[in-house]
Each structure stands twice: as structure tokens, then as C-alpha cells.
Amino acid sequence: MTHKKAKKQGGGSDHGAAYASRNSKSEYLQRAERAQQLFNAGDPVAARRVFAEILGALDASPSFARATTMDQIGRCFLAEGSFALAIEQFEQAIAISRKLPATPGVHSLQATLQSDLGEALRCIGEFVQARSCFLAAIKIGRSIGDKRAEAVDTDRLGSMFLREGMLEEATSSFKTAISLFSQVGDRTPLAIVHHHLGVAYQSAGRYSEAENEYRVALELMEATGEIRAIAACSSALADVLGSTSREAEAEVWHRKALDAAFKAGNDVEIRRCIVELTQALRGRADCLSYCRSLLENALARAGHSLDRHVWQMYGLLGHCLRDTFANSNEPPSGAVLTVIENCLHISDLGPSLLATLEGLGPRSSFARAVMFDRLAHCCIAGQRPRTAVLLFRDALQTLQDPVADEETSDSKVLLQHAINNALGHALHFSGKDEEAVQAFETALSLSQTLGDLRGEAAARENLLRHPAGGQKQWGGAENIERLASIEKVLGDVGGASSNPMQAELDSQPTEASSSTGSKPKLEVVRVSVREYIRTEIVFGSDLVVDLPRQTKVTEVPSRAVLAAQEAVIQFSVGVRTWRDSDGNCIVHVPAAEPLCDIQRDCVILRRIERQLEISDSSSVVWSLVREIDGTKTAQQVLNVLPGEYRDAAASILSALTDSGAIDVSGRPIGSYLHLATKKGTYFAPGIVGEEILNLASDGEYRDHHDATRIDLSKAHLPSMEAFETLRTLTRGRRSRRDYSGKPVDRNKFDALLDVACGITGVMPWRDREIKLRAYPSSGALYAVEIYPIIFNVSDHEPGVYHYSAPDHALNVVNRQMDRDTLLASVLPSERQMVSGAATFICLTGRFKRHERKYGQGGYRMMVAEAGHISQNLVLAATSLGLAARPFGGVFDSLLNRELGLNEIDEQFLLGVLVGLGES
């Protein structure tokens, strides 16, 4: 609950003078009053649009009117929860006010702006800056003798203390504000501060005192006719009564709050009161029908609002519908089940989308367009198509903004296609059929630009089925035939055979049998590649958004050039082959590591699954398959084949290699073992929240219940100092997440690398010496390399380095490191943690060096080596008073690029974060 300051107009005589000449001062005031009425009625979005029109008509030069209007726009953003945009408006208004003549009116405006800015900063948790703003506002109020303004800002300061959990300071501030308001005799804000003091007492568990303050506030509010304030205070009193097990009294006050909100005509308050009343009545079967009616009516009159109460109402409606049928013998219909599922889903997703959108800031971007699109889909699921239309159009407008041009690849076009397709449906549900057809036509054009058959089929289907589309050319034979041909291509994927590959090979003629009799006539071999593309957008809030899946079909040139002729080739792990009903060879290549594309506010992941269709009546492909055994190079495979087969075989082999069906690294098993451990290659089960806690604490470890048990002692061995030191370290080690961002001393950093990774001795071997390190390595190969990424170490410049253990020295890899780009290679949910560390020590594996002795199956020993180094680093950091933890939450391909690695020979395995903890 807040109260406004009364602004003095002294020195503000230009309040409407700066309005464009075509508008009168009275019109300015009328429009400003209309906007304020919309704001007071709980529609800050509509109010903001009117204020924005007023601002656009004002002269661009600094003026009192311009600063005041920007303050009002900022307040609208604040009410909408768009805190970053509100802060931007307040800061610009403050800058303008400083250019105005120093009059009492301007000073009063400056105090208001500082206070409003403090409120916005308080909302995002920037308490130090907020406190500075409130204190500045209080100082201005005192300097001009405005006790009311001083009281308002003291109350806001108390609200900030309350949010920080500083209850004593909050209580003191509220009592001071009450004293000031009492001196000026202003009962309306006095009532509000009594309410705030009640909140402080309630937060401290002092329920009796809280109840008393709420009742005092309500008495004052009723005397002054502050109906909207009565609604909020009645709800607070109901909450206190509920906390003291006085549920019947609490229900009475919840209903009083709702009645007051209806009288005030404030939709935001109405929604809040309905949410609180229905939450209080949950579980009462006799109230389900009443609650359902309340919620449905409130959602119907929600307009275009997307505040948190709207999402809460969807969730409550879903539970209400579910409980209704749970108490009934009649099962819900499929349509009702869909409504329940949609309500519960969007009640969780909506707030997450809005929080992510707020975190993106005011800049137009590809990421913002994705958020508008997802919010629009939530509105469609919530049966609000008109709001969805506005959001879809906001998304398209955002993509048109030049600032959003950082993403110009297929992803942007794909998003535009998806938005237009969904916009067509929303327009149809809104009764705008002609516009719907235009949106579907745009989606069709974009799908053709992408070469996306799946998207083209969806757009053509929508146009064919839409009444307005069917009346146009889209109901004609040409569209129907094209749609049928696409659906045939999409559906004709070749039936999977249950026979193994060898059965197919055995069914083909051998060289001996084919050499007898007449040679088969070699026909032209046709190879087509079908790509199934899944695109995901990953945001810093750990939100993942799926874009529509694509299907593309392309023909491979018949005389393709074969690359990597001298590489030993083998089929990649997971590749399947079979013969379809038409005799074509089908080669299925599973999706591998996703392709990563860093955007300003998100990361785009593309997973591509491929399927090759090889039309070959002469069985060239099967002869080729027979020879690919992991021992021959590509050229050797071709040389084994009859001369007349080689051009066709080269074309097939090129297509297989380009699609990933053939591995040309020479180490297919080792490549696969590493690939399989990368983030995003295989999906985890995805357990969350309580499931994770249950798994970690279930105690289901291996236990031989029937075996003889021998208890071990935990005796200390004081004579063994080294052992006691190690014991202290292992007991003190914890994987920390709360890195402070403070610098680590260089001497500690250098000592860390020396103790954990440095040279510890030499081992003579024949006529040579092998330098041994602080950790075990299979065969003393030391195939794991160490790359410290320095963020904040004293006397070391930030950058990417390589640690040379034999020399105990750092080799500069990249001092021009872009910190933001490097952080983008970290999983979004982990970026805040990583950004606070002083260094991220990356451990990489040099595969070929290790495999020269141990082969591809030795991968686990190299991973174990990385684990040894990691534990050394963690224990050494603990001994130095530093916080450390192993870490692998990265997009491998992006981090490998930042480390400057050649992925054929060397890739990231594991990392260790080191820094200073918050405590």
C-alpha cells in the first residue's frame, strides 16, 4: 500500500506550457487527469499509454511538465512490475529536474522523484541505493519545511527496512512517520502508516499489536472514505486473524476486503482480494461453486492484465475445478481436463516468463520477442485471445527493431513463422478472420524461406481449414495437391527393419557372385537428407523455451567431392540402417551435441537428427557398408570397390560423412564416450525440488545387511601431524556457491597451483627423467592440461592462461577475454555463481596423447586424472582459506572455443571454481 505526495506547483508554471501548440493547456490537464483516473482504477498499462501520448506531444526541451509526466510513466511501470523501465524513467526525470530553476516546486518534484526512484530500487533489492534515495528525499523535504513530504519518505524508508528484514529500524521509521503526519493533521496517510506498522509487528510475530494497528488504520480509513485502502488493510487483518486460528473472523474480513475492492472499482485490488478469499476457502466443498464463479468472473474482466494475481487465479481455478470433480461421481470431460491442465500449467509458467522478461531489461531483443510469444501462448491457453493478439504483435514488433538484429539466422525467421502461425489462430478466435488469413499467409512464406516442410504443411493446413482461407485460392486444387505431396514426404520415412545390419549385408550379392554372369547396369544413385531440427532457447533464469520443430529435405549432389580421404572411417555410435519398402537404404543418425549460438540475453540450442534415403538399385551402398569396418581409410574403402561404383560410392560416402553417420576422427569410441558426457547430448530424468531432496536424503546406499559388521574407530592420532592436517581439511571442505566477487591474493593463487598441480620430484627411467606432479596420472602421461581463467586475482590480469607445471608458470592464451561471452558458455542457472569466483580453473583432456598408450577405452583413466587434480585444488584452496568447488555446468563447445582448443585433439573435462566466500 502506498500514498502519493501532494506536489506543490510553485515554480512549475510551465506544467502545460510545453505542450505542443495544437493542444491547449486545458487539454493537457484533462488527459493527465484521465490517465491518473486509469491508474487509480488499477489499469497502469492503459494509464501509461495516455501518459506516453502526453509526453510525445510535449516539447523535447527540459521542462517541469516533461519531468512530471516521466515520473508518472515510471509509476505506471512500477505498478506493472517493470522495475528496470521504471528506474530508467525516474533517472531521466531527475536529470531533467536538475536543469530547471531552483524553486520550491522543483525541489518538491525532486524529492518526489528521489523517493519514487528509491521505491523502484527497493523493489529489485538494491537496498543501499534505495536508502540513499530516500534519505536524499527526506533531506529535501526538511530543507523546504515540507513535513508531509518528509513523513512520506520516512514511511517509504521504513518499508525498505521492512523488506530487508530490519524490523526494529522499520518500526522506528513508521513511528516517526506517524508523528509527522499527526503534526500536519493528515489522517489519510496516517492511516496507511498505521497499516505499515501493523505489517512490521506481524512480521515480528507480534500479532496482538499488529491487530491493534490494523484496527486503528481501518477506523481512520473509514472516517476518510479511503475505500481502496480499506480493502488492503482488511485483508491484512484477516491474515493476522487466520494466523491466530480465528478462521471464522478471518473469512468475515476477507469478504469485507472484497466488498471494499468492488466499491473502489479497482480491478487489481479485486483480483488480490479474490485470490486471498479463495485461498482461505480452499478445502471447503461447500464453497467450491462460489469460488469458481468468483475466479471465472474476475478472469473475464481482467482485460489485458498479466499481474501476479491473474496467474494465481488460474492456478486456483484449476484446483477448484479439479476438487469439484473429485467430490463428484461424474468424471470430467476431456475438454474440462484440458482446462484444468492449462490453468495449472500457466499459473506456474506465467510468473516465470514475466520474471525472465523483467530480467532482460528494456532493450528490444530476440529474447524479449520469445518471452512475448510465450506469454501470448499462455493467454491462448487461458482463453484470452485478444490479449494474445497484442502480445504476438509486440513480439513481431520487437523482432523488427534494429536492436534485435543480433539474431539474423534461421532462428529469427523460425520465430517469426511460429508467431504468425499462432497469431492467425488468436485472430480467428477474436473474430478477425481476414487478418487471420494474412497471418497464416505470412507464416507460409516464412516456412518456404526456411525450407521447412513441417512448417509449410501446418500453414497450408491452417489456410485450407480456415473459412476465409478456403474461400480464397487456398481451397483450390493446387494448395491441396501441394499439401498432399508434403505430407507424403513427411510420412514416408521408411519402415524400420528389426533385422540387424548384417542381415541386410548377407542378402546382398558378394563380389564373387556378382563377377559371374553379366554385370548389373549401374543406375544413378540419389541421396536425400531429411533433417529434424529441434530449437531451444535457454535463458538466464533457467527457463527453456521450445520453438516449433522443423523438417527439411535436401538432395545431395550426385558427384560430391569426398573430403578426408586418408582418414580411417567407421560408422558413428547409434547409427542405424535398414531397407524400406521401396528398396531404398535408410540411414538414421541420432542427434549429437546441440549446436550453441550465443545471443545477447539467451543461448540458442539446435539439435539435429538426420535420416538419409539412398535410392540405389545397383547395391552400391551395401557394398560400401560392407567395407566400412574401422580399419580402412576412405580412399582404401573406395579402392576395394569396382571402378564403376567409385563415383557413386564417393557421393554416398560424402553424404554419410557430412551427416555425421561416418566418424572420420579415427577414434569413434573415444569421441562417443566424451560426447555422451556433454551437457545436452542426453537428457537427464529432470527431477526437481522435493524429488532432489528426497533422493539426496533417502539413505539408500549399498548395505550388506546379512554380513558380519566390523565397527571402525575414529581415534585421533596426535603424533601424526600430517594426518591430522588432512583430516581437518577433509572435514572443512565444502562445495560453496556464495562467491563474493572479491579478489584473491596472487600469492595464494600461485601457491594453489604449485601445491595442487606442481612438480614434486623426478623418476629416473633408463637414460631419462620424468618429472612427477602432485597428482597421479596413468602412465605418467599427464594428458590433462590446466587452463586457469582469471577473473579477479591481484597482480594478474584477467584472461585465459595455460599452467605449465614443469616451469611453474602461466602462458598467456588470451588477455582480450570478453567476460560476458565467457559467462555465456556457462549454463544460465550457474552464471551468477561463476561470476563471483576469482578464477575458473579448467581441466582439459588431450585424447590422442592418452590413447597412444591406452587406446580409446582408456578414457575413464583420463577422467580420473581430472578428478585427482580437482580434489587437490579443492583441498589446497580450503587450506588457504578459499572457497572452491568442482564445476562442469557449461556448454562444452562454447567453452572449448574460449579456451582456444582444437576439439579434435583436446576438450574440456572438468573445472574448479575458486574464490572468496561471502562469509
Side-chain angles (χ1 to χ4, degrees):
M1 182 187 297
T2 59
H3 38 69
K4 300 188 187 79
K5 293 184 186 180
K7 294 185 179 70
K8 295 182 179 178
Q9 298 302 319
S13 58
D14 68 337
H15 195 58
Y19 207 50
S21 59
R22 67 179 182 277
N23 298 287
S24 64
K25 180 176 179 179
S26 62
E27 181 184 354
Y28 166 88
L29 294 174
Q30 288 173 1
R31 298 188 73 180
E33 183 178 354
R34 170 62 182 152
Q36 190 61 51
Q37 288 173 346
L38 289 168
F39 183 85
N40 292 341
D43 195 348
V45 176
R48 172 168 54 80
R49 287 172 178 159
V50 177
F51 281 127
E53 291 173 1
I54 294 172
L55 185 66
L58 289 171
D59 189 285
S61 59
S63 66
F64 189 91
R66 191 169 188 83
T68 302
T69 305
M70 294 182 80
D71 177 50
Q72 298 288 8
I73 293 173
R75 288 186 177 189
C76 291
F77 278 130
L78 196 59
E80 294 174 52
S82 298
F83 304 122
L85 293 170
I87 290 169
E88 182 181 15
Q89 292 292 321
F90 294 143
E91 288 178 339
Q92 290 180 15
I94 288 171
I96 290 173
S97 72
R98 288 170 178 164
K99 298 177 182 178
L100 302 178
T103 65
V106 169
H107 286 313
S108 180
L109 172 62
Q110 289 173 335
T112 299
L113 290 169
Q114 287 287 351
S115 184
D116 288 344
L117 176 59
E119 184 69 9
L121 290 166
R122 180 185 70 83
C123 289
I124 63 172
E126 295 290 345
F127 298 126
V128 174
Q129 296 180 53
R131 187 180 300 122
S132 176
C133 290
F134 289 137
L135 291 173
I138 291 170
K139 183 177 180 181
I140 294 172
R142 285 176 182 163
S143 69
I144 60 177
D146 189 344
K147 287 190 176 181
R148 187 183 189 284
E150 183 183 350
V152 168
D153 295 321
T154 302
D155 174 55
R156 281 186 158 182
L157 182 63
S159 296
M160 188 202 67
F161 284 135
L162 188 61
R163 177 155 179 183
E164 287 184 90
M166 302 168 66
L167 299 181
E168 290 185 11
E169 292 83 351
T171 300
S172 175
S173 294
F174 292 141
K175 287 180 177 178
T176 301
I178 287 172
S179 174
L180 289 167
F181 278 127
S182 298
Q183 291 176 45
V184 298
D186 197 339
R187 293 195 296 173
T188 299
L190 179 62
I192 293 172
V193 185
H194 274 290
H195 179 177
H196 291 170
L197 181 56
V199 174
Y201 283 140
Q202 184 179 354
S203 300
R206 297 160 65 177
Y207 296 122
S208 176
E209 291 163 286
E211 180 181 347
N212 181 63
E213 291 298 326
Y214 289 144
R215 293 188 184 277
V216 170
L218 283 166
E219 184 178 343
L220 288 168
M221 290 170 185
E222 288 169 358
T224 56
E226 284 293 315
I227 306 243
R228 181 180 176 183
I230 288 173
C233 196
S234 297
S235 293
L237 178 56
D239 191 36
V240 165
L241 294 169
S243 298
T244 54
S245 301
R246 295 151 69 186
E247 286 81 4
E249 290 181 75
E251 182 182 339
V252 169
W253 281 101
H254 276 307
R255 292 181 183 273
K256 285 184 178 181
L258 182 56
D259 289 341
F262 273 118
K263 288 177 183 178
N266 186 301
D267 286 336
V268 174
E269 282 295 292
I270 290 171
R271 289 194 290 271
R272 182 188 60 76
C273 291
I274 286 175
V275 166
E276 293 181 355
L277 176 57
T278 51
Q279 285 175 334
L281 296 177
R282 272 195 68 184
R284 287 179 50 179
D286 60 319
C287 295
L288 286 174
S289 178
Y290 171 70
C291 291
R292 176 179 175 181
S293 176
L294 274 180
L295 293 165
E296 288 176 339
N297 290 333
L299 286 169
R301 61 179 287 175
H304 300 310
S305 176
L306 297 173
D307 63 37
R308 64 186 176 91
H309 304 305
V310 169
W311 306 114
Q312 287 176 310
M313 286 194 297
Y314 275 118
L316 289 166
L317 179 58
H319 286 295
C320 187
L321 289 169
R322 190 172 63 185
D323 293 345
T324 298
F325 285 97
N327 296 326
S328 169
N329 294 325
E330 181 184 351
S333 65
V336 172
L337 285 174
T338 299
V339 170
I340 293 172
E341 182 180 333
N342 285 344
C343 285
L344 296 177
H345 176 63
I346 63 180
S347 70
D348 289 334
L349 181 59
S352 177
L353 293 171
L354 284 174
T356 301
L357 182 62
E358 170 63 23
L360 297 176
R363 304 170 300 177
S364 294
S365 69
F366 177 81
R368 285 181 66 81
V370 173
M371 288 298 98
F372 286 133
D373 170 68
R374 292 296 95 184
L375 284 167
H377 278 280
C378 286
C379 290
I380 288 179
Q383 301 178 4
R384 299 169 69 193
R386 289 182 174 83
T387 303
V389 168
L390 293 179
L391 289 165
F392 282 133
R393 285 179 168 158
D394 282 345
L396 291 171
Q397 182 61 42
T398 300
L399 288 173
Q400 306 250 338
D401 194 303
V403 183
D405 281 344
E406 79 277 2
E407 175 50 62
T408 56
S409 65
D410 283 0
S411 296
K412 182 174 179 179
V413 182
L414 175 61
L415 181 58
Q416 289 172 321
H417 158 72
I419 293 170
N420 276 285
N421 221 10
L423 174 60
H425 290 294
L427 288 165
H428 171 61
F429 295 142
S430 302
K432 300 180 179 180
D433 287 338
E434 288 298 325
E435 293 179 57
V437 171
Q438 292 174 10
F440 289 139
E441 287 175 339
T442 302
L444 174 60
S445 175
L446 290 167
S447 67
Q448 290 171 328
T449 300
L450 289 167
D452 176 16
L453 294 181
R454 185 189 295 266
E456 182 180 347
R460 288 184 180 276
E461 182 102 12
N462 290 331
L463 288 164
L464 178 63
R465 293 185 175 184
H466 195 283
Q471 293 167 11
K472 297 173 69 174
Q473 75 272 22
W474 302 111
E478 182 179 347
N479 182 51
I480 294 174
E481 290 173 3
R482 173 60 179 164
L483 183 58
S485 67
I486 294 173
E487 289 177 344
K488 183 178 185 304
V489 172
L490 292 176
D492 187 13
V493 296
S497 169
S498 60
N499 297 327
M501 184 189 301
Q502 191 59 45
E504 282 291 351
L505 293 175
D506 292 343
S507 70
Q508 306 308 316
T510 62
E511 283 189 52
S513 63
S514 64
S515 64
T516 62
S518 59
K519 289 185 179 181
K521 181 180 178 181
L522 183 62
E523 297 184 3
V524 175
V525 175
R526 293 179 60 253
V527 181
S528 62
V529 180
R530 186 191 307 263
E531 292 186 327
Y532 304 97
I533 306 172
R534 176 177 176 178
T535 304
E536 298 168 312
I537 317 296
V538 184
F539 294 88
S541 60
D542 214 18
L543 180 71
V544 180
V545 172
D546 289 330
L547 293 188
R549 299 190 181 192
Q550 299 169 267
T551 301
K552 297 183 179 182
V553 178
T554 56
E555 295 288 331
V556 176
S558 59
R559 293 293 299 272
V561 177
L562 178 61
Q565 295 185 20
E566 301 306 316
V568 174
I569 59 175
Q570 174 63 287
F571 278 102
S572 299
V573 176
V575 169
R576 295 184 298 124
T577 64
W578 67 88
R579 183 196 291 271
D580 70 6
S581 57
D582 294 326
N584 300 317
C585 174
I586 307 298
V587 181
H588 178 266
V589 186
E593 179 186 7
L595 303 175
C596 299
D597 185 7
I598 299 176
Q599 295 303 306
R600 181 193 308 165
D601 299 304
C602 61
V603 175
I604 301 174
L605 303 181
R606 295 182 184 86
R607 306 173 194 276
I608 304 177
E609 183 180 344
R610 295 183 175 91
Q611 194 157 280
L612 285 74
E613 180 181 293
I614 305 171
S615 303
D616 171 26
S617 61
S618 304
S619 301
V620 174
V621 62
W622 298 113
S623 299
L624 183 65
V625 168
R626 185 189 306 278
E627 299 300 334
I628 299 174
D629 60 4
T631 66
K632 301 185 187 76
T633 67
Q635 190 60 57
Q636 287 171 338
V637 169
L638 293 177
N639 290 342
V640 171
L641 301 178
E644 64 270 20
Y645 280 11
R646 290 176 188 167
D647 285 346
S651 178
I652 296 171
L653 198 53
S654 177
L656 292 172
T657 301
D658 292 343
S659 68
I662 295 291
D663 182 282
V664 296
S665 69
R667 43 185 302 275
I669 302 301
S671 295
Y672 175 75
L673 286 172
H674 188 66
L675 170 67
T677 65
K678 291 184 178 180
K679 300 292 184 193
T681 300
Y682 290 107
F683 292 101
I687 63 172
V688 295
E690 191 69 18
E691 291 178 288
I692 295 176
L693 178 60
N694 290 339
L695 181 62
S697 59
D698 62 12
E700 292 184 8
Y701 309 117
R702 176 62 60 212
D703 189 355
H704 296 273
H705 297 288
D706 300 329
T708 301
R709 183 179 299 273
I710 302 172
D711 293 328
L712 301 177
S713 70
K714 294 185 178 180
H716 289 254
L717 303 174
S719 61
M720 299 177 63
E721 294 184 9
F723 176 81
E724 285 302 308
T725 299
L726 179 60
R727 179 189 177 92
T728 301
L729 290 176
T730 59
R731 295 302 180 270
R733 182 213 64 78
R734 288 292 178 269
S735 294
R736 301 281 296 274
R737 297 187 64 88
D738 56 338
Y739 294 99
S740 66
K742 296 177 181 177
V744 164
D745 179 74
R746 172 175 177 163
N747 290 331
K748 288 189 175 183
F749 173 79
D750 294 356
L752 173 68
L753 291 176
D754 182 36
V755 170
C757 314
I759 301 300
T760 59
V762 295
M763 178 178 68
W765 195 345
R766 296 183 182 174
D767 57 344
R768 303 181 187 179
E769 288 185 339
I770 299 175
K771 291 185 177 181
L772 302 177
R773 305 188 189 181
Y775 52 89
S777 172
S778 50
L781 298 179
Y782 300 109
V784 174
E785 299 290 347
I786 301 166
Y787 290 85
I789 299 175
I790 294 178
F791 296 129
N792 198 357
V793 175
S794 63
D795 297 328
H796 275 310
E797 292 184 30
V800 179
Y801 298 85
H802 172 261
Y803 176 63
S804 174
D807 306 313
H808 187 50
L810 293 179
N811 299 315
V812 178
V813 175
N814 180 14
R815 275 188 178 153
Q816 306 302 316
M817 173 190 72
D818 185 305
R819 183 186 178 93
D820 291 337
T821 301
L822 194 141
L823 286 175
S825 68
V826 175
L827 296 183
S829 59
E830 308 287 8
R831 287 175 187 164
Q832 182 176 0
M833 175 183 69
V834 174
S835 66
T839 180
F840 177 24
I841 301 175
C842 298
L843 310 177
T844 69
R846 293 180 61 195
F847 306 118
K848 292 186 178 180
R849 173 176 174 80
H850 197 267
E851 289 168 6
R852 283 178 62 188
K853 178 174 181 180
Y854 294 103
Q856 298 176 60
Y859 178 78
R860 67 169 63 178
M861 290 184 283
M862 185 167 61
V863 173
E865 181 176 332
H868 299 320
I869 300 173
S870 166
Q871 180 73 339
N872 274 9
L873 286 166
V874 169
L875 291 177
T878 302
S879 71
L880 292 167
L882 303 175
R885 65 174 296 132
F887 179 72
V890 301
F891 296 111
D892 286 65
S893 60
L894 299 181
L895 183 57
N896 288 336
R897 186 170 67 195
E898 293 301 310
L899 295 175
L901 306 181
N902 177 355
E903 290 192 327
I904 295 175
D905 298 322
E906 185 178 1
Q907 295 192 43
F908 172 80
L909 295 174
L910 181 65
V912 176
L913 293 172
V914 181
L916 291 172
E918 288 285 1
S919 56

